[in-house]
Amino acid sequence: MKQKGFQITVKCIIISDTHLEKEEIPPYLSELIEDYDLIIHAGDFSSPQFYRALESTGKLKAVHGNSDHTELKELLPEELVFEVEDVKIGVVHQGGLSVVDTTSIRYKALEMGVNVLIFGHLHRPIIEKSDVLLICPGSPNKPRMSDPSAVELVVDNGSVSTKLIEITGQSCSYVDFSRKLGEK
């Protein structure tokens, strides 16, 4: 957290659907997360080992996902609501199944009474602003119809900004195929 006079800026990195079995954070993620005050994970760690690696940073806020180990489903909530500088943030894993129709996840945000709702499950990034801000970070290592990604959320004196973070790694096979078609 950075303080500017009486203002406080909180930088968050949002990830989801990592599906990792490792006991350590891969270098492409560890280098990235060290620059952030909070790590928000929207579920599907897969293994307790990877969860513990992220949790050991002391920065983690998380929910469990549908593919998580039973231990994580017992340890982590299905829904989480917390505040960062008077901004209410909600986290769920599976909020909707469509990348084009976010109506159901918007209603979930309104039901939870949050300004920002973070969700996963789709493995494809979405940042959509209406009366609430909806964020799906995609997946940093198992994307679907997209490149690997995460999302930066900055709360600065109650104001919220976001940015898609492209992560070096393997895109899904569909994206690789479509790029090769474009080269011809």
Side-chain angles (χ1 to χ4, degrees):
M1 286 186 281
K2 294 181 183 172
Q3 289 189 337
K4 297 186 261 176
F6 293 109
Q7 296 180 345
I8 296 179
T9 302
V10 180
K11 287 179 60 178
C12 311
I13 184 165
I14 304 168
I15 57 176
S16 184
D17 299 288
T18 47
H19 296 281
L20 291 170
E21 301 291 332
K22 301 177 178 191
E23 293 183 22
E24 71 277 338
I25 302 168
Y28 65 91
L29 277 181
S30 65
E31 292 170 9
L32 188 60
I33 65 176
E34 67 187 34
D35 293 333
Y36 291 90
D37 304 308
L38 279 178
I39 303 164
I40 303 170
H41 196 295
D44 277 1
F45 294 88
S46 289
S47 73
Q49 294 86 350
F50 184 64
Y51 161 76
R52 284 193 286 275
L54 281 179
E55 206 261 339
S56 71
T57 65
K59 303 177 183 184
L60 184 64
K61 299 274 189 189
V63 296
H64 71 76
N66 61 301
S67 295
D68 279 326
H69 187 276
T70 305
E71 179 183 331
L72 293 177
K73 288 181 179 180
E74 292 171 0
L75 180 67
L76 296 171
E78 189 172 338
E79 297 180 1
L80 177 66
V81 175
F82 62 96
E83 284 193 30
V84 174
E85 296 303 306
D86 296 326
V87 175
K88 285 182 86 172
I89 299 172
V91 186
V92 297
H93 178 65
Q94 192 170 338
L97 298 177
S98 174
V99 295
V100 292
D101 183 2
T102 56
T103 304
S104 64
I105 194 70
R106 179 184 162 271
Y107 282 126
K108 182 68 176 172
L110 295 174
E111 175 187 302
M112 293 173 71
V114 296
N115 308 105
V116 178
L117 184 58
I118 296 163
F119 61 103
H121 193 64
L122 300 177
H123 293 238
R124 184 174 177 181
I126 296 172
I127 301 173
E128 184 177 299
K129 177 71 173 136
S130 60
D131 49 345
V132 293
L133 177 59
L134 306 175
I135 301 171
C136 180
S139 174
N141 56 316
K142 295 213 182 267
R144 288 187 191 138
M145 308 277 293
S146 65
D147 290 313
S149 62
V151 170
E152 176 182 276
L153 174 73
V154 177
V155 180
D156 185 7
N157 198 33
S159 178
V160 175
S161 63
T162 58
K163 176 175 77 173
L164 184 66
I165 302 169
E166 293 180 14
I167 295 176
T168 303
Q170 184 168 341
S171 300
C172 84
S173 57
Y174 172 82
V175 170
D176 290 339
F177 175 73
S178 66
R179 285 186 178 134
K180 287 178 185 171
L181 286 177
E183 293 171 2
K184 293 181 181 184

